[in-house]
Amino acid sequence: MALERFLKDGKLITIPRKQKAKEALFDALSEKFEFDRDYSEKEVNAILAEVYDDYAILRRYLVDTKRLARDDYGHHYCRIKLEK
């Protein structure tokens, strides 16, 4: 899936509507995080803000699609393997 049409100068212009394109985007975003490493919410936000101004929605999508896990308080995040 070519994500370039959703990007301009390396920044995401819009979140794709089609599920297949969304999945490809979320896969690409999850690759910005290392396995076996804890990230603070501030670190996650900084990484995602490089891609899209509304980093909070991207963070929610990554958690909702089980690409990132977070603690009950939303302070710590980690990348998890996506089960397909």
Side-chain angles (χ1 to χ4, degrees):
M1 172 66 50
L3 293 174
E4 291 81 30
R5 67 183 186 179
F6 300 106
L7 302 172
K8 182 177 182 180
D9 299 326
K11 293 271 289 193
L12 185 63
I13 300 167
T14 185
I15 296 173
R17 290 183 182 188
K18 295 190 177 187
Q19 192 61 34
K20 190 173 183 178
K22 276 186 187 179
E23 295 293 329
L25 171 64
F26 301 152
D27 286 344
L29 290 175
S30 68
E31 290 176 6
K32 295 185 171 289
F33 300 92
E34 299 173 25
F35 289 110
D36 301 321
R37 177 176 170 209
D38 279 345
Y39 293 87
S40 68
E41 182 174 23
K42 188 175 181 179
E43 289 174 306
V44 172
N45 292 346
I47 291 167
L48 296 176
E50 292 177 8
V51 178
Y52 194 56
D53 291 335
D54 189 357
Y55 53 82
I57 196 164
L58 293 180
R59 188 183 67 233
R60 270 184 247 121
Y61 276 130
L62 292 176
V63 170
D64 289 348
T65 61
K66 305 206 181 323
R67 288 169 171 82
L68 288 182
R70 73 171 172 217
D71 68 3
D72 290 338
Y73 303 102
H75 296 276
H76 299 281
Y77 294 77
C78 64
R79 183 176 175 193
I80 54 178
K81 293 185 194 258
L82 184 62
E83 294 182 27
K84 292 189 177 187

